[in-house]
Amino acid sequence: MRRWSFQYYLLLAPAVLLSVAVVLAPGLMTAYVAFTDWNGVSLSMNWIGTVNFEKIFADRVFWQALGNNIRWTLLFLTVPVGIGLLTAMLLLKRGRTRTVYQMIYLGPYVLAPVTNAILWLNIILNPVSGLLRHVRHLFPRDSPLAPLRSPLGSPDTALYFVAMVDIWHYWGFLTVIYLAALRQTPQELVEAATVEGAGVLQLFRFIYLPTILPTVLLMFVIITIFSFLTFEYVYIMTGGGPAHGSEMLSTYAYTLAFNALQYGKAAATGLVMSFFGLAASMFYVWMSRREVSA
Amino acid sequence: MTPRRTSASATRRLAPAAAGVSRLRRLLGPLGSHLVLIFFAFTALAPLALVAINTLKTHREVVRSPLAVPGEPHWDNFELAWRYGQFSRGFVNSALLSGTAVVTVLVCATLAGYVLARRRVRHWRAVTIYFMLAMTVPIQLFLFPLYYFFARVLGLLGSLYGVGVVLAALNMPLAVFLMRAFFLAVPEQLEEAARIDGANTVRVLWSVLIPPVRPGLITVAVIVGLQAWNEFLITRTFLGQESITATLGLLSMNGTFTDNMSVMMAGTLLMIVPPLLFFVLVQRYFIEGLISGALKG
C-alpha cells in the first residue's frame, strides 16, 4: 500500500490545491491584511498592528451589524426550525403525497436569491405595485404596513422583512432534512409506544426527538454558521439600510472593501465573522469526529 | 407497515370501546395534517403564482390589483423582458459558468472522494478536517485578496471560465464528501478483483468504480450546477457587464422597470421556470444530495 501512496496524493491534489488557492491562501492573506493599512489598490502595505480592529470596534455601525446578525441567528434558529419540524412530523405519516409536498416546499429553495428577492421587492413589498399596498386596509392605521411605503423603508422593520423572505426560501430545506432523520427512527419503538397509548406529542418527545437530536443539533450549528455569513438577501433588498437598520457584518465588510476601499477594516471584519464561523465549525468537527475516525 | 395502521389495530385489540373515537381520529388526523401541509404549500407557491398572473397584464392592471386575472394577454411583456434583461446572452453565459463549475468539481471531487473513502494516503484525516473547515469559511474572509489576485494578477475579471473554477473550489468540500459517501457504499472486493487482474489505479477508477457511483456523479452535478447557476456574490463581484449572467441580467432590470411592473414580472418568471423545471426532472438526485450532504457529509 505504501508504495502507491505518491500516486494517491496526485489524485487528491487537484481538489486540495484548488481549494487552497481559492479559499485558504487568500484567507490567510486576509488575516495578514487585517493588520496593515492596505487599500486594495496600491502596492504599499504597512504593518499597523491592531489599529483596524480598534477602528471597527469603535464604529457604532459594526456593533449594530453584529447585533443584527445575532437577531438574525435567533430568528433562523426558531421560525424555520419550527416550521420544518412540524411539516416533517406531519409528512412522516403521509404516503404517496409525501414526495409532492417535499417538491413544493423546495420550490423557493432551488430558485436564485436574486430571483426571490426581486419577486418580493416588486410584487409584494413594493409601495406602488405590491400586494401589501393592495391589502393595506386590512392593517391598523399605525402599523408599518398601513401607509404607502415599503416596510423595507423603515429601520425598525427592514431586518424582519428581509429575514421573512430568506426564511420563506429556506425552511423547505429543513423539512426535507428533518423528515429524512425522522424516517430513521426504529419502527419497533414507535409501535411499542403506540401500544402503550402514547399520544402524538409524547411520541415526538420520547421516541422521535431522541433519534433526530443529532440532526437537530447539527442543523443548529449550520444555521448559526450561515446566519453570521448571510449576505445575498440583505444586500439585494436593502443594501444594509435604511440607516444601517438591516446592516450585517457581511454587508458592512463588503461596503468597506468595495465602496470605501478600506481593505484593512474589511479584512478585520472578515476575521471577526470567521471567528464566529470557526467557533461553530469547531463544534461541528467535534460533533462529527465519530464520523471521521469511524 | 405504516404507523397509522398499527395504532388503529392496536387500539382495537386493547379497548373495543375506544374504536369509535379511533375511527374519528383516523378520519380527522389525515384531514387535519393535510390542511396544515396545504397551508404551507400555499405559502411556498403563492408568491410564485403571483408573479405568473401578473406577467401578461399592463402596468395599470398590476397597480389596480395584483390579484386580478389578466384581461387581454400582453405577450410582448416577455419580448421586452427578454431584450432588456439580455437573457439570450445571460442564459448562455450562465450555462457556460455552471458547466465549467460542474465539470471541474466532478473531476476533482471524484478523485479526492475515492482517495478519502479508501484512505489511500496517510494524511486522509487532516485532509478531511481541512475540507470540513473550508466548507464553513465565510466568503468575506477570502473575497478581497482573491479579487485582487483574480483581477490584477491573473487579469481574469469578467472571465466566465475563471469564475466557474472559483465556484467549483467553493463547492469542492461538499462535493468531496458526497463522492466519498458514494465510494464508501461500493464493496472493496470489486476493486481488489480488478487489481488482481492487473488493472492500474486509473483503470480501476474509470471502468470498475465509476459505473456504481454514477448516481453520485449526477447528484453532485445537480447540486453544484444549481448552486453555480444561482450564485450571486462571486458572480456579481468578478464578472463585469460584458459577461452578464441570467441572474445579473434580471438584477439589472430591477429599479429601471418600476413603471412597467408586468415586464419585470415577465423577467422574473423567465428566471423562475428553468430552475423549477430542472428541479422537477432531477428531484430524486437533488433531495438525495441535500440529505446525504447534511446527514452523512
Side-chain angles (χ1 to χ4, degrees):
Chain A
M1 198 68 77
R2 180 61 41 85
R3 89 194 123 95
W4 289 340
S5 208
F6 177 69
Q7 170 192 352
Y8 291 113
Y9 277 108
L10 274 185
L11 295 183
L12 203 51
V16 172
L17 289 184
L18 198 56
S19 176
V20 165
V22 171
V23 178
L24 184 66
L28 292 177
M29 180 142 171
T30 299
Y32 179 77
V33 167
F35 296 94
T36 70
D37 62 354
W38 192 43
N39 64 7
V41 185
S42 80
L43 289 173
S44 91
M45 191 191 284
N46 302 304
W47 182 268
I48 54 168
T50 56
V51 171
N52 286 321
F53 291 92
E54 284 157 32
K55 275 190 192 152
I56 59 168
F57 290 153
D59 188 353
R60 197 186 50 83
V61 179
F62 169 83
W63 293 106
Q64 193 168 352
L66 182 60
N68 283 342
N69 270 115
I70 293 171
R71 226 170 284 171
W72 187 276
T73 310
L74 294 178
L75 276 174
F76 269 73
L77 285 176
T78 47
V79 181
V81 169
I83 301 176
L85 281 175
L86 173 67
T87 46
M89 275 302 283
L90 294 176
L91 281 181
L92 191 60
K93 298 207 178 146
R94 299 279 68 84
R96 268 170 302 141
T97 52
R98 186 193 282 155
T99 320
V100 181
Y101 279 121
Q102 276 198 92
M103 280 174 68
I104 293 175
Y105 294 168
L106 279 178
Y109 184 75
V110 300
L111 299 178
V114 170
T115 311
N116 286 333
I118 282 179
L119 180 173
W120 280 80
L121 275 177
N122 286 296
I123 201 66
I124 297 172
L125 302 175
N126 187 297
V128 179
S129 56
L131 181 68
L132 267 190
R133 189 201 86 114
H134 192 66
V135 298
R136 71 183 188 282
H137 57 271
L138 301 176
F139 300 99
R141 276 221 154 275
D142 53 344
S143 131
L145 299 173
L148 276 177
R149 61 188 166 88
S150 165
L152 296 174
S154 153
D156 302 323
T157 51
L159 176 78
Y160 298 102
F161 279 84
V162 177
M164 177 182 77
V165 176
D166 200 344
I167 287 172
W168 167 76
H169 138 274
Y170 181 70
W171 65 262
F173 167 73
L174 290 181
T175 305
V176 170
I177 301 299
Y178 292 145
L179 178 61
L182 283 171
R183 292 181 65 183
Q184 290 170 355
T185 309
Q187 208 49 57
E188 313 87 67
L189 285 182
V190 180
E191 282 168 24
T194 315
V195 169
E196 306 243 330
V200 177
L201 283 178
Q202 283 169 314
L203 265 184
F204 178 73
R205 169 72 187 79
F206 295 106
I207 307 296
Y208 288 113
L209 193 57
T211 320
I212 64 166
L213 198 60
T215 304
V216 172
L217 288 179
L218 181 65
M219 287 300 120
F220 276 163
V221 173
I222 289 177
I223 290 171
T224 307
I225 292 174
F226 289 105
S227 292
F228 276 96
L229 313 184
T230 183
F231 176 79
E232 286 156 321
Y233 284 90
V234 179
Y235 184 77
I236 300 165
M237 294 183 72
T238 65
H244 304 292
S246 59
E247 196 80 73
M248 296 284 158
L249 289 175
S250 60
T251 53
Y252 178 70
Y254 194 85
T255 315
L256 280 177
F258 289 101
N259 298 353
L261 290 181
Q262 297 181 317
Y263 263 48
K265 278 166 78 176
T269 311
L271 271 191
V272 174
M273 285 168 70
S274 317
F275 169 77
F276 289 102
L278 196 69
S281 312
M282 288 299 190
F283 187 62
Y284 174 61
V285 170
W286 174 77
M287 268 177 52
S288 0
R289 73 195 189 289
R290 236 171 348 123
E291 189 93 27
V292 178
S293 50
Chain B
M1 199 187 270
T2 68
R4 183 156 41 93
R5 213 174 294 145
T6 319
S7 91
S9 63
T11 323
R12 206 169 305 135
R13 227 180 309 123
L14 287 179
V21 179
S22 138
R23 198 171 307 134
L24 190 70
R25 190 181 289 169
R26 221 179 332 150
L27 202 72
L28 283 182
L31 187 70
S33 54
H34 270 301
L35 281 181
V36 177
L37 291 170
I38 287 169
F39 168 77
F40 282 109
F42 176 79
T43 64
L45 290 187
L48 306 183
L50 198 58
V51 172
I53 62 168
N54 284 295
T55 51
L56 295 176
K57 297 180 186 174
T58 61
H59 181 66
R60 289 171 62 91
E61 284 177 289
V62 177
V63 173
R64 204 178 310 135
S65 167
L67 289 171
V69 252
E72 201 186 324
H74 291 265
W75 294 101
D76 54 324
N77 287 338
F78 282 99
E79 219 177 290
L80 285 170
W82 185 268
R83 190 165 355 126
Y84 288 101
Q86 304 173 63
F87 281 111
S88 40
R89 206 141 51 103
F91 280 130
V92 172
N93 284 349
S94 283
L96 284 175
L97 179 79
S98 313
T100 310
V102 167
V103 171
T104 314
V105 160
L106 281 183
V107 172
C108 300
T110 306
L111 299 178
Y114 163 73
V115 174
L116 290 182
R118 292 286 185 261
R119 294 181 193 170
R120 293 292 193 209
V121 297
R122 203 154 10 115
H123 300 98
W124 64 271
R125 199 186 297 256
V127 174
T128 307
I129 290 179
Y130 167 73
F131 277 129
M132 275 187 176
L133 288 176
M135 196 150 37
T136 55
V137 168
I139 293 184
Q140 264 79 5
L141 185 66
F142 55 85
L143 183 69
F144 317 124
L146 183 65
Y147 177 80
Y148 182 83
F149 186 70
F150 197 80
R152 303 265 150 73
V153 182
L154 296 177
L156 281 175
L157 209 62
S159 156
L160 289 166
Y161 302 105
V163 174
V165 172
V166 169
L167 293 183
L170 297 191
N171 285 296
M172 197 62 76
L174 176 66
V176 168
F177 288 131
L178 284 174
M179 286 317 297
R180 172 176 162 266
F182 277 98
F183 276 117
L184 280 174
V186 180
E188 217 158 335
Q189 293 92 306
L190 208 63
E191 190 183 339
E192 279 158 18
R195 288 217 191 258
I196 290 168
D197 290 344
N200 61 21
T201 305
V202 174
R203 216 184 139 64
V204 165
L205 252 175
W206 186 251
S207 36
V208 181
L209 292 178
I210 293 297
V213 297
R214 195 162 289 147
L217 295 174
I218 301 177
T219 302
V220 169
V222 163
I223 298 255
V224 174
L226 261 179
Q227 199 74 261
W229 184 277
N230 290 341
E231 210 279 337
F232 171 69
L233 177 52
I234 300 280
T235 343
R236 159 81 186 223
T237 314
F238 288 28
L239 289 176
Q241 273 299 312
E242 72 271 23
S243 41
I244 200 166
T245 61
T247 324
L248 297 180
L250 179 68
L251 196 64
S252 75
M253 288 175 73
N254 193 35
T256 54
F257 278 87
T258 39
D259 293 335
N260 211 337
M261 200 43 79
S262 40
V263 174
M264 197 65 219
M265 287 304 102
T268 312
L269 192 67
L270 287 174
M271 287 298 291
I272 289 176
V273 173
L276 275 190
L277 275 183
F278 180 69
F279 167 61
V280 170
L281 288 177
V282 299
Q283 54 98 6
R284 200 163 59 84
Y285 295 101
F286 184 77
I287 291 176
E288 163 69 24
L290 291 187
I291 293 170
S292 43
L295 301 190
K296 295 170 206 158

